[in-house]
Amino acid sequence: MNEIKEFPVLFGSDGSLLGMVSVPVDGPVQPVACIFYNMGGNHRVGPRRINVKLARQLARAGVSSIRFDLAGLGDSGPVTGSQTFMARAVLDVQAAMDQVQESLGIRRFILMGLCSGAPSSLEATVADPRVVGLLQFDGYAFPGRRARWERALRRALVVPTNPIMILKTVRWIKRKLAGPGAIEGEIFTTGTLEDKAKVFVDCMNIVAERNIPTLLLYTGTLNSVDRHLDQLGPFANEKFAKHVEYVFIGEMDHSLTTQATQRMFLKVVGDWTMRAVHGLTSAAVRPAAKSESSTSSFGALTAIPNPKRTASRAMATSL
């Protein structure tokens, strides 16, 4: 394992974006760097500092990275101009790639899109040929009727013991009353579900045509259940689905609250990142073992609390 060095940088057209660069200081350095940024309104460190932990883990394996705040978030300056959040985010991600390319001489990148960062990481991948790997964590999801009903039932059963589910239920009722064509009041993406589905499918097909390694990682918090590619819903047979790694981990929570879920995340994402660094697509990857005794570059999945209920799996060979 390499020793690492970290240092802050200011970059962007007006020098108002703030990032932290992690680099190995000895040993071999990979010619690919990772880009981390905000999950929702969270600071660039990510939920429970997961971006920091992953950046340092990767740097010790020879992979450099930058984690930064988009304009208007964290320690970066305010948003300027009249672009949408999505357009602004793509420009900021490209500015981060420019910064790393200029300072470290690295010209290929892997984007880490967590939650609300998933849509912008997908669009940035399509927009910029320097992107050679894409992670989407609890990003776009289109569960079918059976999966939605099972999810609703499971959530309903826990309402008496989990008050936060009352708020989720109220939001669900509001969406139902507003009708299927209503525009959702979201900050990070806009448009109807049909609009979002078209963007997702169109972009993912482009990513697949470019043979870019892609990991779609889902947790049980937002999606609750997954029997077979449930989060892709009607798009499970699209051509892009044959080119992605699809992993659902029911025991992993969306905010990575516990040490156990953080270890799972670091292992799954760390292993996938090293494959992506070496340009291995899903077709070249052996199916991941479901056993808790499986080993990898970043250790074993010994933290899984109940492997019988864990639906983690790589679908490389079955998609």
Side-chain angles (χ1 to χ4, degrees):
M1 291 291 182
N2 299 342
E3 295 297 322
I4 68 170
K5 179 176 68 176
E6 296 185 306
F7 54 91
V9 291
L10 285 171
F11 61 96
S13 58
D14 58 357
S16 65
L17 298 176
L18 189 141
M20 182 68 71
V21 177
S22 299
V23 296
V25 296
D26 58 11
V29 178
Q30 300 295 338
V32 180
C34 293
I35 308 289
F36 302 90
Y37 55 105
N38 312 83
M39 172 175 165
N42 287 341
H43 186 251
R44 64 182 174 277
V45 301
R48 276 65 184 183
R49 300 180 71 250
I50 198 67
N51 289 345
V52 178
K53 296 174 183 177
L54 183 56
R56 291 174 178 174
Q57 172 180 287
L58 292 172
R60 292 188 181 94
V63 180
S64 304
S65 67
I66 182 172
R67 51 187 184 274
F68 77 101
D69 289 313
L70 298 171
L73 295 173
D75 294 319
S76 288
V79 174
T80 59
S82 57
Q83 298 103 330
T84 63
F85 172 84
M86 182 66 70
R88 181 73 255 170
V90 170
L91 291 175
D92 289 351
V93 170
Q94 290 179 304
M97 289 190 278
D98 293 341
Q99 169 64 30
V100 173
Q101 183 170 328
E102 181 178 341
S103 60
L104 303 181
I106 295 175
R107 301 172 180 273
R108 293 186 291 155
F109 300 92
I110 296 171
L111 302 188
M112 303 291 189
L114 308 186
C115 187
S116 63
S120 55
S121 66
L122 178 57
E123 298 213 13
T125 299
V126 171
D128 200 303
R130 292 176 294 179
V131 180
V132 297
L134 171 65
L135 161 71
Q136 297 184 74
F137 173 72
D138 273 343
Y140 286 107
F142 308 93
R145 178 176 298 178
R146 179 194 55 75
R148 293 199 307 272
W149 275 109
E150 186 170 349
R151 180 179 63 188
L153 176 61
R154 286 172 180 254
R155 288 179 173 178
L157 291 175
V158 301
V159 165
T161 58
N162 187 351
I164 197 170
M165 294 307 300
I166 296 176
L167 298 177
K168 291 180 177 292
T169 303
V170 170
R171 289 203 297 268
W172 179 80
I173 292 173
K174 286 182 176 179
R175 288 198 299 271
K176 289 298 180 184
L177 294 176
I183 295 178
E184 299 181 12
E186 296 183 3
I187 299 173
F188 305 107
T189 59
T190 58
T192 66
L193 182 62
E194 290 75 16
D195 295 333
K196 295 175 183 177
K198 185 177 188 311
V199 169
F200 174 70
V201 173
D202 290 348
C203 289
M204 287 299 295
N205 281 329
I206 293 172
V207 170
E209 289 171 0
R210 287 165 51 186
N211 210 26
I212 296 174
T214 301
L215 173 62
L216 304 181
L217 175 57
Y218 296 98
T219 70
T221 303
L222 296 187
N223 307 294
S224 303
V225 293
D226 192 290
R227 299 186 187 283
H228 182 65
L229 306 181
D230 279 351
Q231 312 317 316
L232 296 183
F235 311 118
N237 294 320
E238 288 282 335
K239 60 181 180 181
F240 75 79
K242 296 181 174 61
H243 296 271
V244 302
E245 289 183 60
Y246 178 103
V247 177
F248 179 89
I249 302 179
E251 283 79 6
M252 184 182 288
D253 72 275
H254 180 67
S255 298
L256 303 172
T257 307
T258 68
Q259 292 288 332
T261 58
Q262 291 175 32
R263 285 194 291 271
M264 280 188 267
F265 180 90
L266 292 172
K267 179 198 179 304
V268 172
V269 177
D271 286 352
W272 171 81
T273 301
M274 297 310 295
R275 293 197 296 273
V277 163
H278 295 290
L280 296 178
T281 64
S282 59
V285 177
R286 292 184 304 171
K290 290 190 289 185
S291 167
E292 62 178 339
S293 63
S294 62
T295 58
S296 69
S297 302
F298 295 112
L301 268 175
T302 53
I304 295 177
N306 185 349
K308 292 182 179 179
R309 292 185 58 235
T310 300
S312 172
R313 55 190 181 271
M315 305 301 297
T317 58
S318 61
L319 286 174

